[in-house]
Amino acid sequence: MSKNITPSKKIHSIEDARKLAKKRVPRLMFDFVDGASGDERLCEINSTALDQIRLEPKVLRNIEKRNLKKNFLGNDFNYPFGFAPMGMCNLTWPGADKMLAEESIENNIPICVSMASSTSLEKMYKLSQGHSWLQLYIYQDESFVMELLERAQNTGYKVAILTVDVPIQFRRAKDEKNGFTVPFKIGPKQFFDFATHPRWSLTTLLNGIPKPMNFITSKRGNKFVRSESRGATDWETLKRVRDAWKGKLIVKGVMSPEDAVKIKDTGADAIQVSNHGGRQLESATSSINALPLIRKILGKEFPIIFDSGIRSGSDIVRSLAFGADYAMIGRPLMYGMGADGAKGLRRVLNIIKEELSTTLGLVGLNDINDISSEIIAEKFFKDMKY
Ligand SMILES: Cc1cc2nc3c(=O)[nH]c(=O)nc-3n(C[C@H](O)[C@H](O)[C@H](O)COP(=O)(O)O)c2cc1C
């Protein structure tokens, strides 16, 4: 690589960022981000299914000026996408949480702070100047979640996300093979991995080994055990969380239309259609396949977020055409930061934003809020009118 070319200049697609990240980040971390459950095919299927949605170009529409702003859950955002919750982001590249927070301000979009975040929810709220939403899992000790909700409320959070698709974890072969654990267990294999990625290792040592800070800052002394079962979570749990949380509540990880209706009836403010980026039920359908069915059963008005498989600005347009109101991006953010830190993240976001705007214009629209199933090329989907 020429000395004057920073890695981000070599990023022309999300796949470019992924390849660069694979070189710079230790295998243990890269595989944790990139990997999925079981045979890992669902991750691929998510993106392929999006890719198979073909849009209809429309011409002579004067699309000189295009609006990408979107109001969602009562907030005016500059774009129809935000950052999906991802645990232990600082493992990908030191300072990742701060980079994401800065981009959430710059772009005026939401950043979902994972319960297993490597920065405390209070600090993330400050770093993102209030653009943070808090994501939660219910572990064995439900009172810990109640403590986090109280902390979030006291900090100023207005939106909480309850992730319900990890009652138990599907096995991830690569993590098993690499010996990925939180906290790290460093044996000869991991030592070799870190030693062959000296930039990551030195920067990580200088910044401090990432830790699950919401647990560490808890007065209750709860320990983060990644494999701990969350299997006892049920409809009663959702009701208790709904009662406890006064702000907006999103339920994430919904793939079944029947579940979606029940969740709406329990009083959630929005549903996030997601198969966890292919990291849970290996044999599930693609997330985009579930979306129109859920939109249809919930009706036109109920707020729906979509994630899993988005790898381009066109994918965001496709998800909006299939019935989503808002989209969340996951791994591409990590690829960008793994490739070139803050610069890599910015490059990935710029690619997505540019493609979003161009796709909108080429389907003959100048406002993101006008996207509907009308822009889909296949007549069958067009006629579904969700
Ligand atoms: C490294 C990593 C960590 C994640 N951690 C969480 C988490 O803590 N909470 C959660 O609700 N989802 C988590 N997710 C799932 C994402 O929020 C999102 O559903 C998924 O990444 C979307 O798929 P995509 O990466 O293909 O875009 C994680 C995903 C990745 C890749």
Side-chain angles (χ1 to χ4, degrees):
M1 191 187 302
S2 148
K3 272 191 184 143
N4 298 324
I5 298 181
T6 62
S8 55
K9 294 237 164 76
K10 294 191 147 195
I11 302 175
H12 303 285
S13 66
I14 308 306
E15 186 54 25
D16 285 348
R18 181 180 171 275
K19 282 188 185 140
L20 279 168
K22 193 172 181 178
K23 281 191 201 152
R24 285 214 331 166
V25 176
R27 168 171 286 209
L28 189 71
M29 311 312 166
F30 180 81
D31 282 351
F32 164 63
V33 170
D34 194 55
S37 54
D39 63 10
E40 303 204 325
R41 286 199 51 238
L42 184 55
C43 182
E44 203 182 298
I45 289 171
N46 277 334
S47 297
T48 311
L50 276 161
D51 199 44
Q52 278 167 355
I53 301 171
R54 298 281 114 193
L55 306 178
E56 188 172 72
K58 284 270 169 60
V59 297
L60 299 169
R61 301 286 164 110
N62 189 356
I63 40 85
E64 195 71 2
K65 293 200 180 95
R66 295 180 297 283
N67 173 47
L68 299 179
K69 293 199 169 94
K70 184 105 193 173
N71 181 287
F72 187 66
L73 292 181
N75 300 287
D76 286 319
F77 294 118
N78 285 8
Y79 297 97
F81 68 85
F83 300 158
M86 285 179 285
M88 303 300 289
C89 289
N90 286 358
L91 284 177
T92 307
W93 202 257
D97 283 333
K98 189 162 176 275
M99 294 169 201
L100 289 167
E102 281 167 358
E103 286 298 339
S104 76
I105 302 168
E106 175 70 25
N107 294 290
N108 181 31
I109 53 176
I111 169 173
C112 304
V113 178
S114 165
M115 180 177 191
S117 166
S118 33
T119 304
S120 74
L121 66 97
E122 289 85 0
K123 196 167 172 197
M124 281 309 282
Y125 193 81
K126 210 168 163 196
L127 286 173
S128 69
Q129 295 176 3
H131 286 79
S132 301
W133 295 355
L134 180 66
Q135 177 269 323
L136 301 157
Y137 290 111
I138 308 274
Y139 287 91
Q140 302 294 309
D141 179 6
E142 195 176 307
S143 51
F144 176 48
V145 169
M146 296 302 167
E147 179 207 296
L148 290 182
L149 283 176
E150 201 180 315
R151 279 169 59 181
Q153 210 136 314
N154 294 339
T155 309
Y157 278 77
K158 302 279 185 296
V159 182
I161 304 159
L162 183 66
T163 299
V164 290
D165 59 356
V166 193
I168 38 176
Q169 260 192 1
F170 205 101
R171 58 182 291 272
R172 300 205 191 128
K174 277 187 189 144
D175 287 350
E176 267 176 33
K177 204 153 134 192
N178 296 333
F180 181 88
T181 54
V182 179
F184 296 145
K185 284 198 190 101
I186 304 182
K189 194 171 167 178
Q190 292 79 10
F191 185 80
F192 179 77
D193 194 10
F194 295 153
T196 48
H197 295 89
R199 259 189 83 185
W200 181 95
S201 303
L202 287 174
T203 332
T204 298
L205 276 179
L206 283 173
N207 280 270
I209 309 278
K211 296 192 176 94
M213 288 311 288
N214 287 324
F215 289 74
I216 301 217
T217 52
S218 165
K219 290 187 194 82
R220 306 178 54 80
N222 287 63
K223 290 215 163 48
F224 176 60
V225 182
R226 210 172 141 232
S227 55
E228 185 181 309
S229 169
R230 303 154 222 189
T233 310
D234 61 14
W235 294 100
E236 294 306 313
T237 323
L238 175 59
K239 279 188 199 151
R240 287 192 291 276
V241 170
R242 178 62 289 184
D243 287 345
W245 178 248
K246 304 297 169 230
K248 302 272 188 204
L249 180 67
I250 299 167
V251 178
K252 174 175 183 278
V254 184
M255 292 287 287
S256 138
E258 293 76 28
D259 281 353
V261 170
K262 264 178 103 173
I263 290 167
K264 181 185 173 190
D265 292 346
T266 312
D269 297 287
I271 276 172
Q272 187 152 342
V273 176
S274 164
N275 62 22
H276 218 97
R279 291 161 83 84
Q280 275 301 100
L281 181 66
E282 170 202 45
S283 43
T285 186
S286 70
S287 188
I288 195 71
N289 262 0
L291 178 60
L293 303 173
I294 292 180
R295 167 54 76 206
K296 207 162 185 193
I297 204 158
L298 291 183
K300 250 188 157 152
E301 303 302 325
F302 194 78
I304 297 182
I305 306 174
F306 170 81
D307 82 36
S308 296
I310 293 174
R311 297 292 179 270
S312 67
S314 309
D315 286 346
I316 295 173
V317 173
R318 288 167 160 129
S319 72
L320 299 181
F322 258 46
D325 297 298
Y326 211 77
M328 289 288 170
I329 304 179
R331 291 183 186 85
L333 309 170
M334 300 289 229
Y335 297 149
M337 292 186 288
D340 196 16
K343 282 190 203 142
L345 175 63
R346 180 152 292 189
R347 181 79 190 115
V348 159
L349 290 172
N350 284 343
I351 289 174
I352 290 175
K353 288 188 287 185
E354 190 192 325
E355 287 176 351
L356 186 60
S357 175
T358 318
T359 308
L360 184 70
L362 291 178
V363 296
L365 297 175
N366 43 32
D367 191 337
I368 203 90
N369 298 289
D370 291 339
I371 290 179
S372 71
S373 55
E374 282 294 314
I375 67 167
I376 302 167
E378 292 91 337
K379 188 153 178 3
F380 168 72
F381 288 114
K382 222 187 186 63
D383 291 346
M384 271 180 82
K385 297 259 182 286
Y386 21 81

